[in-house]
Structures are given as C-alpha cells and as structure tokens.
Amino acid sequence: MPREITGFSNPLVKRVRSLREKKLRKREGLFLAEGLRILTEARDRGILPDMLFLANDARPHPLSDALIADVEAAGGDVVTTSADILSKISGKDNAQALVGVYRDLLTPLTDIDRTQAPIWFVAQAMRDPGNLGTLMRIGDAVGAGGVILVDDCVDPFSVETVRASMGALFTQTIAATSWGAFIAWLRSGPGMLVGTSLNTDTDYQAAHYAAPTFILIGNEARGLPEDYEQLCDQLVKIPMMGRADSLNASVAGAVMAYEVLNQQRRGKA
C-alpha cells in the first residue's frame, strides 16, 4: 500500500528534491521523471522507478494504477503526497500528478552494439537541455540506437532534458565519453561518421550514407571544431536559402536523420 507524506520538511522529500541538482544526481545515481506519459513509456520498456510519488487528489487512471501495481510488485516505494509537495520536488508550479525516481541509465560506450541500429547521434559539447531532449525524440522517431555525448555536454538526466525527451530517454541508449575515446571506439568497428559543416560544398542529399551512420552534431554556438571535422568520413552542408547561416542543432539533427532514413528506405544505404 502507498504511504503518505504531508510535510515539506520530510527527509525523503528533501532528498528527492535535491535530485534537481546535477552533482547530487551524480552522487546518488538517480534522476527524476514526471508525468503519466513519460512514466508509462518507461514501464513499457521494462523500466520502473525506485520511488513513485503521486498526488493524493489525482483521479484514478488504468495506466497509473498499473504503474503503481508494478512498482510495488518490484519492491519499489510508492508515496502519496500533496500537489504543493510535488511542485516542490519537480520545481514546477503546475507539477504533474506522478513523479518517478529512476536509476541512472548511462551505458558504457564499450557496451554499445552499434549494429543494433542503422543511425546513431553523436552530440559534441551540446549545452541546451531542450536540444538534447529533442534529439532523443528524433532518435526514437527514426529508429536510431541512441545518443553518444562527447566532451562537456548538458546532463541527459536533468529535469529539463527528461521533459524535452517526452519519454524517448527510455527508448534511446545514452553514453558519455571523450572525443578521443569515441574515435578509438568508432574505428574499432563499422560506422560512418558524418558531420554537418559550412566548410564543404557537398549537399547533404548528395552524399551516400552507409549503415551504421553516426551523425555528429556540434555545439550550438561554435559548431564542430576543425580538427573534429577532419576526422569525419563525410562532411555535408544543409542549404540555407535565407539570411541565417545555420539551423538549430536539434533541427539540423532531424534533417540529417531523415535523409539517412529516407536513403535506407529507398534501399540506397
């Protein structure tokens, strides 16, 4: 049976609220996800929270009932509390009725089977949580294997990134590594590294993409470092017909991913 917490000063509330901070997420190996849709997506993938918080005035729902039953059956902690305390935990005034506490989902780079998917994203020094979360959603949409974070990227398990992923966080493999370690791993097996750049005349639709294709997306402000571009198997340019010289990082990722997918669907990859 769920237990109830009514006080803001409850130690568990304080502990869970602290997971909004990166250093404490890293220390605990835990992160927050909220909302019935995202938590159900995780459940469908066989991933359950260690702790589940729900609003004590929430309307019954078959999916939330199933989630509660599964968490309890797995030995997890189910807690009912007020909407105000859920807002304190999530940092949102209009908090969702469900908040889950999950174990860190990072996968060691060496454990990734690159042949399990024809498309992978590589995010280099990506700093915006909305961009990273959106990139995960795009990856899910095109059947990508996941996102490999290179250099100093935004935390994939921040509340903002998890929200932006809309549940794709639980469908995509996520790894974090250095550029040198990534290149060494990439060259140890099959894989084509493709970067978007202004330093090429090759149109993104003119290139041939061999599976698995690793789409390298650079930092939002600086793009890819020149020495990183030199290690790509292919540099391509997305045409810009207006005054802007580049697209938003996640939008560029979407354009590239769908071109690779379309080539594969036409049997060219």
Side-chain angles (χ1 to χ4, degrees):
M1 290 290 292
R3 61 189 176 100
E4 186 175 15
I5 289 179
T6 59
F8 285 92
S9 61
N10 183 281
L12 184 59
V13 172
K14 291 182 177 180
R15 179 191 174 204
V16 173
R17 182 175 181 272
S18 74
L19 296 177
R20 288 162 49 194
E21 299 181 29
K22 181 178 180 178
K23 65 179 181 180
L24 296 174
R25 285 195 299 274
K26 187 174 182 179
R27 187 180 72 189
E28 295 264 7
L30 300 170
F31 70 96
L32 298 173
E34 57 182 312
L36 181 59
R37 175 179 175 178
I38 291 178
L39 271 61
T40 298
E41 181 71 54
R43 174 178 173 266
D44 290 345
R45 298 284 294 184
I47 303 170
L48 294 171
D50 284 7
M51 290 178 274
L52 178 65
F53 290 77
L54 60 149
N56 49 24
D57 60 352
R59 295 180 180 179
H61 191 285
L63 290 177
S64 59
D65 291 344
L67 181 61
I68 291 167
D70 284 356
V71 171
E72 290 183 329
D77 198 4
V78 179
V79 177
T80 62
T81 193
S82 67
D84 286 343
I85 290 179
L86 284 177
S87 293
K88 186 179 182 69
I89 289 172
S90 70
K92 288 179 64 178
D93 291 336
N94 56 337
Q96 299 278 351
L98 289 170
V99 176
V101 179
Y102 290 85
R103 293 190 181 276
D104 190 311
L105 296 174
L106 276 180
T107 298
L109 184 64
T110 53
D111 288 352
I112 290 178
D113 180 359
R114 69 186 76 196
T115 64
Q116 286 190 340
I119 300 172
W120 295 83
F121 281 118
V122 184
Q124 187 270 326
M126 185 170 282
R127 302 304 302 154
D128 183 81
N131 275 335
L132 181 53
T134 301
L135 204 63
M136 294 177 191
R137 291 183 67 186
I138 296 163
D140 180 77
V142 300
V147 181
I148 300 171
L149 308 176
V150 170
D151 298 337
D152 186 22
C153 283
V154 65
D155 184 0
F157 305 117
S158 71
V159 172
E160 295 79 11
T161 305
V162 175
R163 285 176 188 154
S165 80
M166 293 299 291
L169 174 86
F170 296 105
T171 71
Q172 297 289 285
T173 298
I174 304 169
T177 189
S178 67
W179 175 249
F182 166 71
I183 288 296
W185 173 82
L186 179 68
R187 299 311 180 199
S188 69
M192 179 182 186
L193 184 61
V194 179
T196 55
S197 173
L198 299 176
N199 301 320
T200 181
D201 294 325
T202 303
D203 186 278
Y204 79 111
Q205 290 185 319
H208 169 78
Y209 303 108
T213 302
F214 291 82
I215 302 171
L216 178 60
I217 306 295
N219 174 267
E220 292 93 339
R222 301 184 300 274
L224 292 173
E226 184 178 349
D227 55 336
Y228 287 32
E229 290 186 352
Q230 292 173 356
L231 291 176
C232 289
D233 298 303
Q234 178 75 65
L235 289 178
V236 296
K237 179 185 291 187
I238 299 173
M240 305 297 296
M241 312 307 290
R243 298 186 63 179
D245 63 359
S246 63
L247 294 173
N248 167 276
S250 59
V251 173
V255 171
M256 286 298 304
Y258 272 99
E259 175 59 24
V260 174
L261 177 63
N262 285 337
Q263 286 195 16
Q264 293 169 354
R265 293 172 69 189
R266 294 193 297 266
K268 293 183 178 180

